[in-house]
Amino acid sequence: DGFLLEVPAGMLDTDDPEGCIRREIMEETGFQVTKVNKLFEAFSTPGSVTEKLHFFAAPFTDADRVSDGGGAQHEGEDIEVLEIPIDEAHAMIWTGQIEDAKTILLLQHAAFQIFKTDKIA
């Protein structure tokens, strides 16, 4: 307890969505990805929130790690990089350890499109 488990993300600032996710992956995880795949876009609550979320997936290997990651210190980030098996990550949704909507959506995408499972958790 006492931590939030979520996928890398950040504000667009002056970047395009692809540039932003590449930057955030590098800052937060220490991985320099060479290819990002745009999955979809979504509003968290259309009608009351105007922020559009851009969802990506990116393949990586241990060779893509170029730093420890951990986030941007000037932004107050203190990030620990974790790799969790998909079944365990899905179980964490139901235990309340994963509450972040964007992370839940990406886990569902991974289950249905990457791991080809038919279970929700």
Side-chain angles (χ1 to χ4, degrees):
D1 290 285
F3 69 93
L4 180 66
L5 189 67
E6 63 178 289
V7 295
M11 300 300 287
L12 290 180
D13 298 324
T14 59
D15 280 340
D16 62 290
E18 185 175 317
C20 178
I21 196 60
R22 287 176 184 278
R23 180 188 75 236
E24 293 295 329
I25 290 170
M26 173 69 87
E27 285 178 7
E28 295 182 5
T29 71
F31 286 89
Q32 185 170 19
V33 295
T34 56
K35 181 178 180 178
V36 293
N37 302 305
K38 178 83 176 247
L39 302 175
F40 52 91
E41 298 175 5
F43 292 100
S44 61
T45 309
S48 63
V49 176
T50 60
E51 178 185 30
K52 182 183 279 189
L53 304 174
H54 303 266
F55 292 84
F56 293 89
F60 67 94
T61 67
D62 288 340
D64 297 318
R65 182 180 284 278
V66 296
S67 74
D68 291 335
Q73 191 172 24
H74 70 276
E75 294 178 7
E77 295 176 328
D78 182 18
I79 297 169
E80 179 182 355
V81 178
L82 303 173
E83 280 191 54
I84 300 171
I86 190 72
D87 289 340
E88 185 179 332
H90 273 117
M92 294 172 80
I93 295 169
W94 303 112
T95 63
Q97 293 171 283
I98 297 178
E99 298 178 311
D100 176 59
K102 68 184 179 310
T103 301
I104 293 169
L105 285 169
L106 286 170
L107 284 171
Q108 296 307 315
H109 169 80
F112 296 133
Q113 298 298 320
I114 298 170
F115 296 99
K116 306 292 186 195
T117 69
D118 61 357
K119 62 183 176 178
I120 295 175

